[in-house]
Structures are given as C-alpha cells and as structure tokens.
C-alpha cells in the first residue's frame, strides 16, 4: 500500500516562506512522477508543481520563481519550498504520486482519482 505523509504547513505573513514535506512509502516503481496540488475554497484542485524520476520539473505560472520542488531519495521525501508567499497562495496543499505524468490532470476536488495522495496540509498567508 502506498502512503504519503505531508508536513510543514502553517500560517505565515506575506513575503514569508514555508517548506512542505511529503514522505512516501510503499511505492516500488523506478518510474514515477510526484506532484504538489492545492485547493482553495471555491477553486478547483490545481497542479502547482511536479517532478519526474527523469528529473523534469513543472511549475504553474503563478508560482514560477517562488516555489521549488525537490527530492531526497535517501529519505523517500519530496519537498516544496515556497518563498515570497502571497495571500492568494493560501490553500490546502496535497502531494501525490503516480507512474504517469500529472500534467493536464486536474478536477473539481482534491484528492483526484489519479495516483496516491497525502492527507493535505493547510497553508495560510496573511497580508
């Protein structure tokens, strides 16, 4: 059974930083994609960033230059470093993993019926 456990959410003032962590267990494929999604009230579940086993990364335009996705294979942990946070970044953030790419995958509610997902962690950015 694949399990993803997230941590690192919280409250921060605009301009501040947070680092989200996602520890994955039970995923045995050498080919993988890992993604961070977020959902704010009234918004759809949207892909923020992803990274593949081949090293390719994706960032949503609204977070380019501010967010960085990374991995620590030894710890089976993925990170989302979020800098220069804005109030509009406030949302519940989810990590997810799948063999297939997450690009183009979205829907009305997180978690989506695609891959395995963490429980979500709240990020609140105050102005």
């Amino acid at each position: 059974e694949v399990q993803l456990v997230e941590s690192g959410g919280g409250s921060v003032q605009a301009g501040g930083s947070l680092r989200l962590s996602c520890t994955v267990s039970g995923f045995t494929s050498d080919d993988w994609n890992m993604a961070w999604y977020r959902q704010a009230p009234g918004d759809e579940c949207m892909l923020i960033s992803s990274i593949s086993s081949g090293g390719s990364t994706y960032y949503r335009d609204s977070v380019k230059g501010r967010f960085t996705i990374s991995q620590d294979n030894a710890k089976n942990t993925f990170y989302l470093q979020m800098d220069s946070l804005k109030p509009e970044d406030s949302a519940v953030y989810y990590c997810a993993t799948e063999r297939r790419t997450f690009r183009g995958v979205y829907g009305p509610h997180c978690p989506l019926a695609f891959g395995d997902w963490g429980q979500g962690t709240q990020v609140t950015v105050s102005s």
Side-chain angles (χ1 to χ4, degrees):
E1 179 185 4
V2 179
Q3 290 189 324
L4 293 83
V5 179
E6 301 164 18
S7 61
S11 297
V12 65
Q13 296 228 330
S17 298
L18 285 173
R19 187 177 79 160
L20 304 183
S21 301
C22 177
T23 300
V24 183
S25 61
F27 193 88
T28 58
S29 175
D30 289 334
D31 296 322
W32 50 261
N33 287 270
M34 189 277 168
W36 288 96
Y37 280 77
R38 73 185 182 194
Q39 185 162 31
D43 287 350
E44 66 179 8
C45 180
M46 62 176 66
L47 177 64
I48 298 303
S49 181
S50 66
I51 188 168
S52 73
S53 54
S56 63
T57 57
Y58 163 84
Y59 295 95
R60 192 173 191 85
D61 284 347
S62 60
V63 306
K64 282 181 181 177
R66 300 188 298 121
F67 289 13
T68 305
I69 192 169
S70 63
Q71 67 198 73
D72 184 335
N73 289 333
K75 296 181 180 179
N76 290 331
T77 299
F78 298 85
Y79 304 96
L80 185 68
Q81 177 68 40
M82 305 186 294
D83 299 318
S84 303
L85 282 161
K86 304 176 181 179
E88 52 264 42
D89 294 317
S90 298
V92 179
Y93 284 70
Y94 297 83
C95 62
T97 190
E98 235 289 335
R99 290 190 62 200
R100 297 164 290 175
T101 183
F102 283 92
R103 300 190 192 189
V105 179
Y106 63 95
H109 300 291
C110 293
L112 303 174
F114 185 87
D116 297 288
W117 289 63
Q119 78 281 8
T121 186
Q122 177 71 47
V123 171
T124 302
V125 185
S126 58
S127 57

